[in-house]
Amino acid sequence: MSTAANRTTGPDHLWTVDEHLEDILATVRPLEPIELQLLDAQGCVLVEDITVPVSLPPFDNSSMDGYAVRVTDVAGASEEYPAVLTVVGDVAAGQAEPLHVGPGEAARIMTGAPLPPGAEAVVPVEWTDGGLGGGPVTGMRARSQSPEAAGGHVHVYRSAEARAHVRAKGSDVKAGDRALDAGTILGPPQIALLAAIGRGTVRVRPRPRVVVMSTGSELVQPDEQLGDGQIYDSNSFALTAAARDAGAIAYRVGAVADDAETLRDTIEDQLVRADLLVTTGGVSVGAYDVVKEALSSAGDEDEEGAGIDFRKLAMQPGKPQGFGTIGPDHIPLLALPGNPVSSYVSFELFARPAIRTLMGLDDVHRPRTRATLTTDKALTSPKGRRQFLRGTYADGEVTPVGGAGSHLVAALALADALIVVPEDVESVEPGTEVEVVLLG
């Protein structure tokens, strides 16, 4: 339930950016944990600490293709005076019963194979004649091509210290070590570690399902022919991509015409697969602002005071916003403005933190930094509004991209940062240090 119902606010109340965000994050709750197979858990957040049940590697093993030897048997070996050892057989990775290496003996060993009992070091095959009697070799021949190399004798041309070219048991992680902390996002390396320690499933918060829909009878899908007064629907594509970038499973719904009943029916149909609904367009004060018309009176069925609250924010772009919960399961809904830049900036500031909260993350915001403003002339900003200007950031400097217009999609495509101009600042001179939200 939105906390907006607990605020003493009228229709003309001007919300701050922080108040609106606080209301959203006070309402949205992390999704309940579930047990998932490893690959299904990619991108999800762990809800448990993972302890290593078995050391990695689980046994001493060779880091080279070569010969497992005793140190004393190869002491002082050189090309002029090689050590000649009896080869007792092959040790391959996965071999159940390793050979025993006794005095004057060696075992041909492959990378990853367990160090056999009696052996103390591994000499790379390049330090030997490979059992072929023709001087130093450059590599190990396959057993099928050189069966005699697994027996007979091998000439070793260099000495080796104890444990040379041996990966020690537990040198990666030891049994009982903490492998991963609760709160970790599972990417490919983390999934690799879980598999390596024998975990086939893991307990996580699932990736939230986000349904994105844009509204407007003027919207046409890409690849279709534009008619008079029509534009292509870019918002639903931008915000679906942004939801995926935030970590969600995102579903895009084609543009909904300016009809309140159609919109209500569409939203009702989508509730079954949504943990969060995001609409764009139709939240201002125009005669055809269908989202506002359709949802202003839409309350949750069994919770007094819930529903969608439409409000004005002291920000530019993105003054008109809507937020609340809808349906019997109280699914959060964010109603964003329709102008492309307004909708994207609003998504970054409000929808992305909501998605990251659903995931169960502690840090839900884009990183911020301070940067020196590089521009030819001072930036202006409306009094009492927190302005977010598109910019490019590099090496501690930020440069504005495009103007302040909320329709400038081309400029948005070049930006990797938002320049924040506080509410009490109306002009920012070149060289001023400003706050920057990093989008990359």
Side-chain angles (χ1 to χ4, degrees):
M1 173 179 172
S2 170
T3 60
N6 299 325
R7 296 183 183 273
T8 306
T9 58
D12 296 325
H13 173 73
L14 194 63
W15 291 61
T16 68
V17 172
D18 296 332
E19 285 174 340
H20 184 58
L21 179 60
E22 177 189 349
D23 188 32
I24 293 168
L25 297 186
T27 303
V28 175
R29 292 287 182 266
L31 299 176
E32 289 299 314
I34 59 175
E35 191 83 12
L36 289 178
Q37 298 287 328
L38 284 190
L39 291 180
D40 294 332
Q42 183 173 356
C44 297
V45 177
L46 273 177
V47 297
E48 59 181 342
D49 295 332
I50 302 295
T51 302
V52 179
V54 59
S55 295
L56 292 180
F59 46 79
D60 291 348
N61 70 89
S62 177
S63 66
M64 304 285 287
D65 293 333
Y67 290 84
V69 299
R70 290 157 38 97
V71 171
T72 56
D73 290 337
V74 295
S78 65
E79 289 197 31
E80 186 177 1
Y81 299 104
V84 182
L85 304 176
T86 300
V87 180
V88 295
D90 276 356
V91 183
Q95 188 168 315
E97 297 181 5
L99 303 169
H100 184 276
V101 175
E105 295 179 340
R108 195 167 74 149
I109 192 167
M110 316 306 155
T111 301
L115 189 70
E120 301 166 321
V122 173
V123 291
V125 67
E126 294 86 354
W127 296 3
T128 77
D129 68 350
L132 303 177
V137 295
T138 57
M140 188 170 287
R141 298 176 66 182
R143 184 171 184 175
S144 60
Q145 296 176 345
S146 181
E148 70 280 2
H153 295 85
V154 63
H155 290 67
V156 179
Y157 302 116
R158 290 177 61 175
S159 60
E161 298 180 354
R163 311 295 293 177
H165 305 111
V166 174
R167 301 171 180 145
K169 175 182 178 179
S171 56
D172 190 353
V173 290
K174 294 180 174 60
D177 285 352
R178 178 80 58 82
L180 296 170
D181 293 328
T184 300
I185 299 177
L186 297 182
Q190 292 76 31
I191 287 175
L193 175 56
L194 289 166
I197 63 175
R199 288 291 295 262
T201 63
V202 67
R203 192 162 177 78
V204 297
R205 296 193 192 276
R207 293 167 63 196
R209 301 164 301 163
V210 177
V211 173
V212 176
M213 64 181 72
S214 54
T215 62
S217 297
E218 78 281 9
L219 298 177
V220 175
Q221 299 308 300
D223 289 333
E224 294 181 5
Q225 187 68 36
L226 284 178
D228 292 340
Q230 294 182 321
I231 60 172
Y232 287 119
D233 172 20
S234 63
N235 284 356
S236 64
F237 286 91
L239 301 191
T240 301
R244 291 175 179 173
D245 182 71
I249 299 170
Y251 304 104
R252 175 188 163 272
V253 178
V256 180
D258 289 323
D259 179 77
E261 185 176 351
T262 300
L263 178 60
R264 279 193 293 264
D265 290 343
T266 303
I267 289 176
E268 185 176 344
D269 289 342
Q270 295 298 322
L271 287 174
V272 68
R273 64 170 180 173
D275 298 306
L276 174 69
L277 282 162
V278 178
T279 67
T280 172
V283 295
S284 192
V285 294
Y288 292 92
D289 286 329
V290 64
V291 175
K292 197 169 184 179
E293 178 187 352
L295 300 181
S296 288
S297 60
D300 281 348
E301 295 180 2
D302 57 358
E303 190 160 354
E304 183 180 354
I308 310 302
D309 179 55
F310 291 89
R311 54 190 65 158
K312 300 172 184 176
L313 269 61
M315 66 179 285
Q316 186 185 55
K319 181 179 180 181
Q321 301 281 338
F323 173 66
T325 61
I326 192 167
D329 295 323
H330 315 306
I331 303 300
L333 184 147
L334 282 163
L336 308 183
N339 281 317
V341 176
S342 299
S343 68
Y344 181 73
V345 170
S346 299
F347 185 96
E348 286 292 336
L349 296 178
F350 307 125
R352 182 183 174 91
I355 290 170
R356 308 287 279 181
T357 299
L358 287 166
M359 293 175 66
L361 290 167
D362 293 327
D363 186 4
V364 300
H365 303 289
R366 288 284 197 185
R368 298 193 178 212
T369 189
R370 305 289 295 182
T372 301
L373 179 66
T374 59
T375 181
D376 295 333
K377 60 182 180 180
L379 301 181
T380 59
S381 185
K383 184 178 181 180
R385 302 273 193 92
R386 186 179 304 180
Q387 190 174 44
F388 296 88
L389 296 169
R390 280 74 68 207
T392 57
Y393 171 82
D395 302 324
E397 296 183 345
V398 66
T399 305
V401 177
S406 56
H407 64 292
L408 302 175
V409 182
L412 181 63
L414 299 175
D416 60 10
L418 296 176
I419 303 167
V420 184
V421 183
E423 291 88 340
D424 58 351
V425 175
E426 296 181 60
S427 179
V428 185
E429 296 293 330
T432 302
E433 187 180 75
V434 293
E435 184 179 29
V436 174
V437 180
L438 301 177
L439 301 178

